[in-house]
Amino acid sequence: VSITGKGNYAGANVQKSYTIERKTIEANWITLGTAEYTYDGNNHTPAITVKDGNVELSVNTEYTISFTNSTTNTDDRITAGTITVTVTGKGNYTGTYTATYTIQSKTLQPNCITLSQTQYTYDGNSHTPKITVKDGDKTLELNTDYTVTFTNSTTNSDDRTTAGTITVTVTGKGNYTGT
């Protein structure tokens, strides 16, 4: 502000400054449209709203958004895990706040598992059928999406040679859960 004198005060020039501070974004300004998803191989990003009272702020003008997946520590919105949404003020706004949402592992269904063969005759050799696990049309990967254990009812061990019923247990891993 500049003030210039007149009359008896002519020639006097006084200057004073003032500051308009950036407003700090508060945590309760951030709303996520959806808090939980189930893994399906697709990118999941909820609607994100940031409001200063009743005024909705503009992304990339008044704030920025970044995402971090707890499983991969990257901007991955596909893999099961907790996703941290970081909102950082920009322009007339300052401050950084976070909100989270979850992508849950998908539960394996019993009908998604197929054995290439379900009966063998004892011959002194170990027998392991080919195991196929699918999620719809997608064939899942052993040790990435699931693990397998075998239990022989006769020996109560991972014995695939002795006559008996072998229980094949498939356990979801990573983006999959359940047995």
Side-chain angles (χ1 to χ4, degrees):
V1 175
S2 179
I3 302 170
T4 304
K6 288 187 169 190
N8 292 336
Y9 300 100
N13 189 2
V14 178
Q15 290 187 345
K16 291 288 184 181
S17 298
Y18 64 93
T19 303
I20 299 174
E21 296 287 331
R22 294 170 59 190
K23 191 169 186 178
T24 301
I25 291 177
E26 297 179 20
N28 63 350
W29 294 9
I30 304 166
T31 305
L32 301 181
T34 303
E36 189 172 299
Y37 297 91
T38 299
Y39 173 79
D40 62 4
N42 294 312
N43 186 334
H44 292 288
T45 305
I48 300 166
T49 306
V50 180
K51 283 188 172 182
D52 178 359
N54 291 326
V55 177
E56 187 170 334
L57 304 185
S58 298
V59 68
N60 296 324
T61 300
E62 296 167 309
Y63 67 94
T64 60
I65 301 173
S66 63
F67 300 88
T68 306
N69 184 307
S70 64
T71 303
T72 63
N73 285 324
T74 65
D75 178 8
D76 172 1
R77 290 170 261 166
I78 297 173
T79 304
T82 299
I83 314 302
T84 300
V85 179
T86 303
V87 174
T88 304
K90 183 177 178 183
N92 291 323
Y93 292 90
T94 188
T96 300
Y97 286 94
T98 61
T100 60
Y101 67 97
T102 305
I103 300 174
Q104 298 290 337
S105 296
K106 185 174 185 178
T107 302
L108 291 175
Q109 301 300 315
N111 61 351
C112 72
I113 302 163
T114 321
L115 303 179
S116 62
Q117 191 169 339
T118 58
Q119 189 168 342
Y120 295 89
T121 301
Y122 174 78
D123 62 5
N125 295 313
S126 179
H127 296 281
T128 304
K130 179 181 179 201
I131 301 164
T132 304
V133 182
K134 289 193 162 209
D135 177 9
D137 292 334
K138 178 184 177 186
T139 301
L140 304 186
E141 294 183 40
L142 177 63
N143 296 322
T144 298
D145 299 315
Y146 66 94
T147 59
V148 176
T149 56
F150 302 88
T151 307
N152 185 310
S153 63
T154 304
T155 63
N156 201 28
S157 69
D158 181 11
D159 175 0
R160 290 173 253 167
T161 304
T162 304
T165 299
I166 312 299
T167 301
V168 179
T169 304
V170 174
T171 304
K173 180 178 180 184
N175 290 317
Y176 296 90
T177 189
T179 54

